[in-house]
Amino acid sequence: MAELTRERLGALRVQAKELLTADRREVLVCAGTGCIAGGSLKIYDYLKSECEKRGLKTRVALRHEGGDDAIHFKKSGCHGFCEMGPLLQIEPEGFLYTHVRLEDCDEIIEKTILGGEAVERLLYELNGVRYAKHNEIPFYAKQQRVVLENCGTTDAEDIDEYLAHDGYAAFEKALFEMSDEDICREILDSGLRGRGGAGFPAGRKWDSVRRQPKGKKYVVCNGDEGDPGAFMDRSIMEGNPHSVIEGMMIAALAAGSDEGYIYVRAEYPLAVERLRIAIARDEELGLLGDNILGTDFSFHLHINRGAGAFVCGEGSALTASIEGKRGMPRVKPPRTVEQGLWARPTVLNNVETYANVPQIILRGSAWFHSIGTEKSPGTKAFALTGNVVNTGLIEVPMGATLREIIFDIGGGIKDGKKFKAVQIGGPAGGCLTEEHLDLPLDFDSLKKVGAIIGSGGLVVMDEGTCMVETARFFMSFTQNESCGKCVPCREGTKRMLEILTRIVNNEGSLEDLDLLEELSRTITETALCGLGQAACNPVVSTLKYFRKEYLAHVVDHHCPICNGRKRRLVIKPELCKGCGKCKRNCPMEAISGEIRMPHTIDNEKCIHCGACWGACPFGAIDAIEED
């Protein structure tokens, strides 16, 4: 292959655009994790093979032979409308088919692929209205897609598709037309703030690394998305991996780095595979490696798979994990920008932050700043889950309200029930209520009410949800994920979980509520890292907004929502390793069993203190509700 130059890259981009003709016949099958689980790849294979059996020409990539009249089959990224999957979109008509099954394929071929007509029963229907075009569906109509623009519309494994949508034009501009200082200034002027939760200005972080003494520097992408119910970063890596890579390359130019790492949890095998393919394509083309586009700029990119520890979402724990150490946070300063990966200056941002960068460089900081709010410009991707009609992946301008997201985009609460609350920002976030429905969702507005955007998880709850149980669930998650390095988080969250478990089982007292608040203050003020410092947010916010439910548990010893249900603790034999930790921690000697054999709990002796729950390293202990 000839050496890749700026001129040749431009020519490849032009050729790719020419192949994307406006009237092309395309069949886009959602190949995000959710739809794949629903059988979308079987639908893809059947449609393609059946078309070929009928003598129709097909192609699977822009440069794949087949001619302009061939049907272009694409395995696209996540369309976002996860509640309606498996999804199938057909161009040029723009039809979006929902809940597609294998038995629908023959009719789709006959009526739509060959005839250009819609299969009415597969179209999305709302309040008696069927929507043929995907961009007319209310779920999509009220969104503004920037980082998700190519997800669901392109083949993530085809670099030509990315080039056809101005791929790597931003990197080219930054490499040949901008200095490192210019890049940092453009990102800073755009107002881009980290989308991983803290909301720190990305341009300031990059400039801090740029100003460090010359020498080895790193660019790291945090793809360790561990919040329950969150899948924004996963979907971007699966559906538009080149945007993340291009963003990291621009960051490397700004910081003076020649090496980068993408840290992805191993539970995201499809994201890892798509990133590997994208990196390999870039290396083959000459966009990654040494002397890129004939310049003295070199950049090598690696993928590091994490073991799924939530604490590794924290910067210093993440870099420790890449280094092969146990993922545990360290005391700061020094900050990551000064001593990060292998004690060298490091730019560390999350997936969505990097995916925004190419658009900012290409369109300008003023364009980005025109979206969203003054202090929180741009858009934000959210994973909308829970008791809402339309769950899925969405992207809205910063400043959009919960009412717009839950009721306009999400379609309201399931089964006509009443909205009660939404947990935003995952276990480190807070609980928002009906009084917050018109609150603008941006970094500063949420901070004022004790919540954070976090990575972007939104778990919606209806009137049938017990908020004390919700707080216990998130505390259980955080306690299990604590690395154990600092006492406040290691011991404090364990005690809080024990108290919450007692309260949920209607065995708590008023003193327990005071103790929860006292422990929350102590842990928040003294924990080492962000996980511990924010661990108590779900408890604090539910105590503030739903104190009556706590009182029902500790005063009346009967929760009207739980209907007085009791919980019986059990040890799942398939998960129990017989380590004996639960037995040693039980104050009532209610647990029995031999070493290396499944243990059992005597619920006549059990006082539901939660000691065994906190001690079990395998998640083998569960609570079964009884009437």
Side-chain angles (χ1 to χ4, degrees):
M1 181 182 290
E3 180 182 353
L4 185 67
T5 62
R6 184 181 188 183
E7 291 72 23
R8 184 163 178 268
L9 177 62
L12 289 174
R13 193 179 294 115
V14 170
Q15 291 171 14
K17 287 184 177 183
E18 289 174 348
L19 290 169
L20 285 179
T21 55
D23 59 347
R24 63 193 180 279
R25 168 64 74 203
E26 290 185 349
V27 178
L28 297 96
V29 179
C30 180
T33 294
C35 282
I36 287 177
S40 65
L41 294 185
K42 292 180 181 178
I43 292 167
Y44 175 94
D45 291 337
Y46 184 87
L47 285 172
K48 184 173 177 294
S49 64
E50 280 301 306
C51 284
E52 289 169 351
K53 286 178 184 177
R54 297 172 186 233
L56 301 173
K57 291 187 289 184
T58 64
R59 63 178 183 182
V60 294
L62 275 182
R63 296 183 189 276
H64 185 267
E65 62 183 26
D68 294 338
D69 59 339
I71 303 167
H72 190 176
F73 281 86
K74 295 184 184 181
K75 296 176 185 176
S76 75
C78 178
H79 289 242
F81 209 5
C82 304
E83 182 76 18
M84 296 291 129
L87 295 163
L88 176 68
Q89 186 172 319
I90 299 182
E91 299 293 350
E93 293 86 1
F95 297 147
L96 181 68
Y97 292 151
T98 61
H99 297 311
V100 180
R101 298 170 299 173
L102 271 176
E103 48 265 42
D104 299 320
C105 291
D106 289 324
E107 186 177 358
I108 291 171
I109 293 172
E110 288 291 340
K111 198 163 187 178
T112 308
I113 295 178
L114 294 176
E117 296 180 11
V119 180
E120 295 287 330
R121 60 185 177 80
L122 296 177
L123 298 175
Y124 176 71
E125 184 175 344
L126 179 66
N127 298 326
V129 179
R130 280 200 174 110
Y131 294 87
K133 305 293 181 75
H134 71 278
N135 55 7
E136 296 172 353
I137 298 173
F139 178 83
Y140 292 107
K142 300 212 170 182
Q143 295 187 47
Q144 184 172 353
R145 297 197 155 206
V146 176
V147 296
L148 300 179
E149 186 177 8
N150 290 343
C151 290
T153 60
T154 63
D155 185 336
E157 297 182 6
D158 186 359
I159 190 173
D160 286 309
E161 287 240 27
Y162 188 66
L163 291 175
H165 291 86
D166 291 319
Y168 294 104
F171 166 70
E172 182 186 329
K173 177 182 177 181
L175 179 62
F176 289 102
E177 301 172 23
M178 302 174 75
S179 66
D180 53 2
E181 189 173 356
D182 291 336
I183 298 170
C184 291
R185 173 53 55 189
E186 191 77 358
I187 299 300
L188 192 60
D189 288 347
S190 74
L192 175 65
R193 297 170 66 170
R195 295 315 198 238
F200 190 82
R204 193 186 305 172
K205 183 182 291 188
W206 293 16
D207 197 51
S208 296
V209 176
R210 183 186 72 84
R211 293 173 180 272
Q212 297 298 314
K214 289 188 180 298
K216 187 71 174 180
K217 299 177 183 179
Y218 294 97
V219 173
V220 176
C221 177
N222 182 354
D224 189 63
E225 186 177 47
D227 292 3
F231 52 95
M232 300 76 56
D233 289 349
R234 186 198 76 199
S235 298
I236 294 170
M237 290 185 286
E238 290 176 359
N240 199 12
H242 285 287
S243 66
V244 182
I245 295 170
E246 185 175 8
M248 293 182 70
M249 293 166 70
I250 294 169
L253 279 170
S257 169
D258 65 352
E259 193 168 8
Y261 286 82
I262 306 177
Y263 187 89
V264 190
R265 54 180 43 223
E267 293 97 323
Y268 285 178
L270 183 58
V272 171
E273 179 63 18
R274 296 263 168 88
L275 285 167
R276 280 179 173 164
I277 291 171
I279 290 172
R281 298 287 188 273
D282 283 338
E283 289 174 341
E284 291 168 8
L285 193 59
L287 281 167
L288 285 175
D290 296 322
N291 304 116
I292 298 171
L293 298 184
T295 69
D296 60 359
F297 174 67
S298 301
F299 190 62
H300 297 266
L301 193 54
H302 317 282
I303 297 174
N304 190 286
R305 289 188 297 168
F310 183 67
V311 73
C312 285
E314 194 274 342
S316 59
L318 186 153
T319 53
S321 181
I322 293 176
E323 294 168 4
K325 304 171 187 173
R326 183 178 175 185
M328 300 175 77
R330 58 169 171 78
V331 177
K332 305 175 192 66
R335 298 286 177 181
T336 304
V337 294
E338 300 159 344
Q339 292 184 28
L341 188 59
W342 284 295
R344 301 303 306 169
T346 302
V347 170
L348 175 58
N349 287 116
N350 88 319
V351 169
E352 188 180 347
T353 309
Y354 284 122
N356 271 292
V357 170
Q359 300 266 31
I360 292 171
I361 295 297
L362 204 56
R363 302 188 188 188
S365 58
W367 161 80
F368 189 78
H369 220 293
S370 69
I371 306 169
T373 66
E374 177 62 28
K375 293 185 178 179
S376 298
T379 60
K380 181 70 189 80
F382 289 99
L384 187 59
T385 60
N387 302 124
V388 65
V389 173
N390 297 324
T391 58
L393 179 69
I394 69 170
E395 185 177 0
V396 294
M398 282 283 195
T401 66
L402 280 174
R403 191 182 302 278
E404 292 169 337
I405 291 173
I406 295 171
F407 292 94
D408 294 343
I409 296 174
I413 310 303
K414 281 184 176 179
D415 303 321
K417 292 185 177 180
K418 186 180 178 183
F419 168 79
K420 184 171 187 177
V422 60
Q423 177 73 16
I424 183 169
C431 186
L432 300 178
T433 66
E434 192 170 9
E435 69 179 86
H436 302 116
L437 281 175
D438 295 309
L439 179 76
L441 293 188
D442 59 62
F443 293 108
D444 302 313
S445 298
L446 286 172
K447 188 176 181 180
K448 291 176 183 177
V449 296
I452 60 172
I453 285 182
S455 59
L458 286 173
V459 182
V460 180
M461 291 164 275
D462 65 24
E463 57 191 322
T465 305
C466 173
M467 301 311 296
V468 186
E469 168 59 26
T470 299
R472 190 210 62 80
F473 167 78
F474 282 109
M475 183 54 66
S476 174
F477 176 86
T478 305
Q479 200 280 319
N480 284 330
E481 293 292 339
S482 172
C483 73
K485 185 173 184 178
C486 73
V487 173
C489 182
R490 183 182 70 239
E491 299 299 327
T493 57
K494 186 180 292 186
R495 299 288 83 81
M496 289 187 74
L497 179 59
E498 292 170 1
I499 295 168
L500 287 165
T501 302
R502 280 203 306 272
I503 294 173
V504 165
N505 285 291
N506 300 322
E507 296 163 354
S509 65
L510 282 171
E511 289 74 18
D512 283 332
L513 303 190
D514 295 332
L515 187 53
L516 280 176
E517 291 176 331
E518 184 180 344
L519 282 168
S520 294
R521 285 192 296 269
T522 303
I523 295 169
T524 301
E525 292 171 4
T526 59
L528 176 62
C529 79
L531 182 147
Q533 292 162 10
C536 307
N537 284 349
V539 179
V540 172
S541 58
T542 51
L543 271 169
K544 179 180 179 180
Y545 297 116
F546 298 98
R547 197 173 190 86
K548 286 184 179 179
E549 293 189 20
Y550 281 87
L551 292 174
H553 279 280
V554 301
V555 176
D556 302 331
H557 300 291
H558 174 89
C559 174
I561 297 172
C562 296
N563 295 319
R565 291 172 297 194
K566 299 286 287 183
R567 285 171 170 76
R568 179 169 60 89
L569 291 182
V570 297
I571 298 177
K572 297 179 179 179
E574 68 273 17
L575 296 179
C576 179
K577 306 298 181 184
C579 69
K581 287 186 178 180
C582 59
K583 182 178 178 180
R584 291 193 295 272
N585 280 272
C586 179
M588 302 304 294
E589 298 182 351
I591 300 177
S592 59
E594 300 296 325
I595 293 296
R596 297 190 182 88
M597 296 293 290
H599 285 35
T600 58
I601 297 176
D602 183 347
N603 275 268
E604 292 298 319
K605 296 180 180 179
C606 177
I607 60 172
H608 302 279
C609 67
C612 60
W613 200 308
C616 180
F618 306 108
I621 298 172
D622 198 4
I624 297 177
E625 292 181 347
E626 297 179 327
D627 293 329

